[in-house]
Amino acid sequence: MTDVSTTKRSLDPAVNAMLDLAKEKQIDTVWDRYDAMLPQCGFGDTGLCCRHCLQGPCRIDPLGNGPKTGICGATADVMVARGLDRAIAAGTAAHSGHARHLAHTLLKMAEGKANDYRITDEAKLKSVAIRMGIAVDGRAAMDVAADLARAALADFHEKDTPVMWAATVVTKKRVALLSRLGLVPKGIDHEVSEIMHRTLYGVDADPVNLLLAGLRCGVADLAGCYMGTDLADILFGTPKPVQSAANLGTLKKDWVNIALHGHNPVLSDLLVTTAMKRQDLAKTKGAQGFNLVGICCTGNEVMSRHGIPACTHSVSQETAILTGAVDMMVVDYQCIMPSIATVAQCTGTPVLTTMDICKISGTDHMAFTEEQALAHAEEILKRAADRFEKRKGKSVTIPAVKTPVMAGFSTEAIVGALLKVDARDPLKPVVDNIKAGNIRGICLYAGCNNVKVQQDKNFVAMAKKMLKENVLILATGCGAGALMRHGFMDPAKVDELCGDGLKAVLTAIGQANGLNGPLPPVLHMGSCVDNSRAVALAVAVADYLGVDTDALPVVASAAEAVSEKAVSIGAYAVAAGLPTHVGVMLPVLGGPLVASVLTDKVKDLTGGYFIVDLDPESAADKLIAAIDQRRKGLGL
Amino acid sequence: MNQVKEIFIIQDRCMGCHTCELSCAVVHSRSGNLYEAMAEHPRPVPRIYVEALSSGKPVPLVCRHCADAPCMHACIAGAIRKTPEQTIVTDPDKCIGCWTCVMVCPYGMVGRHPEEQKAYRCDRCPAIGEPACVSSCPTRALVYRSVDDYSKNRRQTAARELSSGEGG
């Protein structure tokens, strides 16, 4: 029986089926906890509460009846700007923490301390090293890798050069612009730390100065993301188009199901390659083999590189456990709701935390190290197989919902596909089609699913509208997850979803690549750090046209954002000059000056700006209007 | 039997977050939502007040809608009446702004609207069933119950405390 209130929670039928089951079993999920939280605090909602000092907490009355400043005298604009800056700093710390983890792994590998890792994409190692000014000719790959890892680690602190992963990845014009505005980060950690300093009691009380610092930290976040993508590609391979599938129907009753949840490929990639080799561990326990599935961005990482299916994403992560079919959920860090421990206790599903910065009470922990990576991976596979033996024969509830997915569209893969169309001038076909209007513009969908929005509703409504208007859509993170679960990455859906111009382009590229059909309607670019790939593509197109990124008909949307990482990504999208939509309310509305800077005035500085619109239809219209305005600017 | 409900305050549960004030002002705004209410004129104002004692203890106070309301008797313009639902209301068309009601209210629950220059007070949100302050209170420090119901509950709590005291 389907409960009306349950179907309102998600657009995904598999998720709703699991929520019915949860209701029947009286297991609370994120949606129940959200209901219990309503109505949410208006001071927090508008960004007007501050706990930055011990004289607080302070709150400013958004309606103007109560206090108009904090105890220290901070105005509403100062308060919301400080709060926003700290969110950007947290997002930056997370993305760059992920990148730093990869840098340490690369260095340990190069120094012979982590022998279970190797250089999978030597060509990418060389190209990144050259970009970083590291000598490559005649040198052993391991030596180059060691230098590159050290250069990556050096980008975290202040040094003679700015953050190289920022300064070398945008257009030259953008570097000049950001330098003029004082927005080139000095060190990734430096920017995070400086935000903590300036938002301390009694430091920066100029809302515009605070926002500029937030933007600079956003540029540092771009560096962290870009570095994360580069180093992961070097270690684990640069994604190429790959067939896969999405949704809870990818779980298999008679297999050892391992859900990989979190963000970093350092462990998850190794688990995938080890599981492929050690199917015997599963078979001896009476299973057909190991069935690894992804959740959130760890899922995107292993889908892009190995075609590992995605089980579910973001706000519906608990539903994977509710199936009863998951034999182990292995998590690293970021976006892992602590509630999975509670839900897992109800179903008897083991949850294994693996990173020392991310332990969850009520779960098992294995302190994963790169030095012992393979041994740890095998141990995890064995434990999951043991658990399967106990589960074997018991009933599970796996919704028969599964969509085909074509993933793996790294920038290199896109350029590679274009090379088949024009071997000498690969970007020409894209640019020609943009000029001809077959591609009206490009939109990047990123970010999460937010419990405040019916799951996937904004992504699906906006993508539908924009595809019909011939906007080429790229997607990352759980935005990609939302779209893949609704068939947007199934090439068979091009006819149904895309406008004629876009259809012709996707078909021509597909045919040229021997796919016997088009590319999928939405191109999966990877995880949330892989928003860097979209930047790389935009920069390549801008360089080709001889313009800066703020002139391009390129827009971005975090239509159902949750994490502070989405805020920092939004900050760098705006710093790069993109009109950037956010489909949930940012906690800045209480500061009228801040709100107007973010949605309007910043345009005069970087060309980018935020569009906050909770209605997907009108948000899509605004993004299309922004695309058209930029086309006009280019004389198209 | 459908008894009249009152807003009761469980003092020791109040954390002083002022959410009741905010949601009260919003529910009485034209738009009814915070984002739009912030830009409205006249400015939406709350009808519930969280007072702070010198000890720092927060104490929410709201119109008691007295059965024998001093404000109603004192109103020289005859603007204050009791509804069939036992709610004390001021007719803004009749209110002359003399503030006699303010002088006689023992709780200080009558406000002077900054723009409209009329007296206003809690109306128990007749349109939405449960008053907004009650439904928004994150610690359930405000409850909306009949006197009988509230007293019964109170007696049960007291009885439990007494009996556990005996057992200990």
Side-chain angles (χ1 to χ4, degrees):
Chain A
M1 196 183 75
T2 307
D3 183 82
V4 180
S5 65
T6 306
T7 57
K8 272 189 193 159
R9 291 177 161 181
S10 179
L11 211 59
D12 182 337
V15 171
N16 286 332
M18 284 301 99
L19 294 183
D20 285 338
L21 184 72
K23 197 172 180 190
E24 195 184 305
K25 294 189 171 177
Q26 294 183 305
I27 300 173
D28 276 355
T29 67
V30 60
W31 283 275
D32 301 302
R33 294 189 298 275
Y34 173 63
D35 285 345
M37 199 59 69
L38 292 175
Q40 286 174 292
C41 171
F43 300 101
D45 201 17
T46 49
L48 291 176
C49 65
C50 179
R51 294 189 297 115
H52 292 201
C53 87
L54 307 184
Q55 291 179 141
C58 290
R59 52 190 148 27
I60 292 174
D61 183 347
L63 301 177
N65 300 302
K68 290 177 177 57
T69 67
I71 294 167
C72 68
T75 61
D77 281 306
V78 167
M79 209 179 260
V80 301
R82 283 178 183 169
L84 184 72
D85 271 10
R86 285 203 171 182
I88 295 169
T92 304
H95 285 136
S96 65
H98 170 152
R100 178 174 17 220
H101 191 172
L102 287 159
H104 280 298
T105 306
L106 188 69
L107 187 59
K108 283 180 190 172
M109 176 210 68
E111 290 175 341
K113 294 175 192 159
N115 296 320
D116 302 327
Y117 294 92
R118 61 194 180 89
I119 298 166
T120 304
D121 189 342
E122 201 170 320
K124 181 127 189 184
L125 169 68
K126 278 190 180 161
S127 73
V128 177
I130 290 168
R131 203 178 72 219
M132 290 301 138
I134 295 167
V136 296
D137 287 340
R139 298 185 69 202
M142 280 300 181
D143 293 340
V144 176
D147 281 356
L148 187 67
R150 289 191 191 101
L153 294 171
D155 249 1
F156 281 84
H157 57 76
E158 274 186 288
K159 56 188 185 309
D160 293 340
T161 56
V163 173
M164 297 304 282
W165 254 274
T168 62
V169 303
V170 294
T171 62
K172 290 203 168 59
K173 285 182 177 151
R174 187 75 5 189
V175 174
L177 176 80
L178 295 177
S179 303
R180 205 162 59 242
L181 295 170
L183 296 184
V184 178
K186 292 177 189 158
I188 301 171
D189 282 354
H190 167 80
E191 300 305 333
V192 173
S193 172
E194 196 191 85
I195 287 226
M196 296 313 285
H197 181 181
R198 70 168 66 229
T199 58
L200 180 90
Y201 172 70
V203 187
D204 201 351
D206 175 341
V208 173
N209 202 41
L210 281 157
L211 291 177
L212 287 171
L215 279 181
R216 186 167 60 242
C217 192
V219 179
D221 187 52
L222 168 63
C225 288
Y226 217 108
M227 185 192 290
T229 300
D230 281 344
L231 303 187
D233 283 355
I234 291 165
L235 283 166
F236 306 111
T238 303
K240 298 185 192 79
V242 62
Q243 290 291 342
S244 189
N247 221 328
L248 293 169
T250 59
L251 292 166
K252 299 184 205 168
K253 183 174 183 288
D254 299 322
W255 295 61
V256 180
N257 293 304
I258 302 179
L260 307 171
H261 183 10
H263 283 75
N264 202 311
V266 166
L267 168 61
S268 55
D269 199 279
L270 207 72
L271 273 171
V272 169
T273 49
T274 309
M276 285 171 189
K277 289 178 213 148
R278 297 301 312 269
Q279 294 290 352
D280 59 297
L281 293 174
K283 285 178 180 159
T284 54
K285 301 291 180 182
Q288 303 272 332
F290 285 110
N291 180 44
L292 271 57
V293 295
I295 298 177
C296 291
C297 280
T298 280
N300 282 317
E301 297 275 350
V302 291
M303 171 184 270
S304 296
R305 297 197 176 87
H306 304 286
I308 293 296
C311 168
T312 195
H313 301 93
S314 194
V315 77
S316 55
Q317 57 188 266
E318 293 157 312
T319 63
I321 295 174
L322 287 165
T323 61
V326 173
D327 293 298
M328 182 169 282
M329 182 180 271
V330 184
V331 308
D332 47 72
Y333 40 53
Q334 300 169 16
C335 304
I336 298 145
M337 291 198 285
S339 65
I340 57 165
T342 320
V343 178
Q345 272 159 9
C346 297
T347 55
T349 308
V351 174
L352 188 70
T353 56
T354 58
M355 301 291 154
D356 284 349
I357 63 159
C358 179
K359 295 184 181 181
I360 302 171
S361 301
T363 68
D364 292 329
H365 184 74
M366 173 191 275
F368 171 80
T369 62
E370 292 76 41
E371 289 84 347
Q372 299 290 321
L374 191 61
H376 283 144
E378 285 191 358
E379 168 67 16
I380 290 170
L381 294 175
K382 275 183 204 152
R383 284 203 209 176
D386 287 345
R387 146 74 190 179
F388 170 84
E389 201 174 24
K390 288 184 200 131
R391 170 176 72 80
K392 196 167 54 181
K394 290 187 185 150
S395 88
V396 294
T397 314
I398 302 174
V401 182
K402 189 161 89 169
T403 50
V405 175
M406 185 186 273
F409 290 94
S410 57
T411 314
E412 290 87 342
I414 292 173
V415 173
L418 293 169
L419 276 168
K420 299 272 173 60
V421 183
D422 188 331
R424 273 176 307 182
D425 201 355
L427 287 176
K428 189 170 183 290
V430 170
V431 171
D432 285 351
N433 278 297
I434 291 174
K435 286 180 178 167
N438 289 328
I439 299 174
R440 188 161 171 181
I442 300 173
C443 181
L444 167 70
Y445 283 101
C448 339
N449 283 134
N450 188 314
V451 72
K452 293 177 180 174
V453 182
Q454 183 188 29
Q455 187 186 16
D456 309 330
K457 183 187 92 173
N458 287 359
F459 286 115
V460 167
M462 292 178 73
K464 266 189 183 162
K465 189 162 202 168
M466 294 179 82
L467 285 173
K468 282 283 181 218
E469 297 294 332
N470 297 307
V471 175
L472 177 68
I473 296 184
L474 315 171
T476 60
C478 290
L483 293 170
M484 75 171 72
R485 278 181 288 102
H486 292 277
F488 286 78
M489 295 183 185
D490 177 1
K493 291 267 200 174
V494 164
D495 259 350
E496 176 193 330
L497 292 169
C498 301
D500 290 339
L502 183 61
K503 203 182 292 177
V505 175
L506 295 174
T507 306
I509 301 173
Q511 297 291 5
N513 284 270
L515 297 175
N516 278 330
L519 298 182
V522 173
L523 302 182
H524 179 276
M525 285 201 114
S527 64
C528 44
V529 292
D530 292 334
N531 284 307
S532 63
R533 300 191 198 275
V535 172
L537 189 64
V539 167
V541 173
D543 283 344
Y544 187 90
L545 288 168
V547 299
D548 198 357
T549 35
D550 66 341
L552 297 177
V554 177
V555 297
S557 169
E560 303 177 20
V562 173
S563 170
E564 289 165 311
K565 293 188 298 167
V567 182
S568 56
I569 290 168
Y572 76 65
V574 169
L578 306 189
T580 303
H581 166 246
V582 184
V584 294
M585 200 52 86
L586 284 171
V588 298
L589 218 63
L593 173 67
V594 169
S596 102
V597 169
L598 294 174
T599 56
D600 181 30
K601 304 256 181 332
V602 66
K603 215 183 285 182
D604 300 335
L605 300 178
T606 70
Y609 55 97
F610 282 103
I611 298 167
V612 180
D613 193 334
L614 278 51
D615 174 44
E617 297 291 333
S618 87
D621 287 339
K622 286 175 189 166
L623 289 177
I624 292 167
I627 283 171
D628 286 348
Q629 198 182 17
R630 286 177 182 224
R631 291 184 64 87
K632 215 171 151 191
L634 288 169
L636 302 176
Chain B
M1 199 176 92
N2 223 350
Q3 289 191 0
V4 174
K5 290 182 180 173
E6 312 284 338
I7 299 171
F8 289 106
I9 296 156
I10 304 172
Q11 300 286 358
D12 55 1
R13 286 189 188 170
C14 178
M15 308 290 287
C17 73
H18 296 254
T19 297
C20 53
E21 293 178 346
L22 198 57
S23 54
C24 173
V26 169
V27 83
H28 290 95
S29 68
R30 274 201 310 279
S31 62
N33 84 71
L34 174 59
Y35 306 136
E36 291 177 46
M38 284 164 61
E40 279 179 26
H41 294 284
R43 194 168 72 202
V45 289
R47 287 135 172 85
I48 183 166
Y49 306 87
V50 181
E51 288 297 308
L53 297 179
S54 54
S55 63
K57 184 175 167 40
V59 182
L61 291 167
V62 66
C63 173
R64 304 312 314 152
H65 295 278
C66 310
D68 191 16
C71 59
M72 184 169 69
H73 294 305
C75 181
I76 197 164
I80 304 177
R81 68 186 170 88
K82 186 183 279 186
T83 68
E85 293 76 34
Q86 306 297 305
T87 307
I88 306 294
V89 296
T90 300
D91 181 345
D93 290 338
K94 288 186 183 168
C95 173
I96 57 169
C98 69
W99 319 116
T100 307
C101 51
V102 174
M103 287 191 285
V104 300
C105 176
Y107 288 98
M109 286 300 107
V110 184
R112 171 182 185 155
H113 197 283
E115 277 103 356
E116 293 168 342
Q117 299 300 320
K118 302 282 183 185
Y120 67 91
R121 72 167 73 61
C122 165
D123 60 0
R124 288 179 179 161
C125 300
I128 57 171
E130 186 175 68
C133 57
V134 174
S135 56
S136 68
C137 177
T139 57
R140 306 277 184 270
L142 304 171
V143 294
Y144 193 47
R145 287 187 181 162
S146 69
V147 169
D148 285 358
D149 200 16
Y150 182 80
S151 295
K152 171 79 178 164
N153 202 278
R154 211 46 211 229
R155 285 197 294 275
Q156 282 285 318
T157 307
R160 267 197 304 275
E161 278 167 7
L162 272 174
S163 106
S164 74
E166 272 174 18

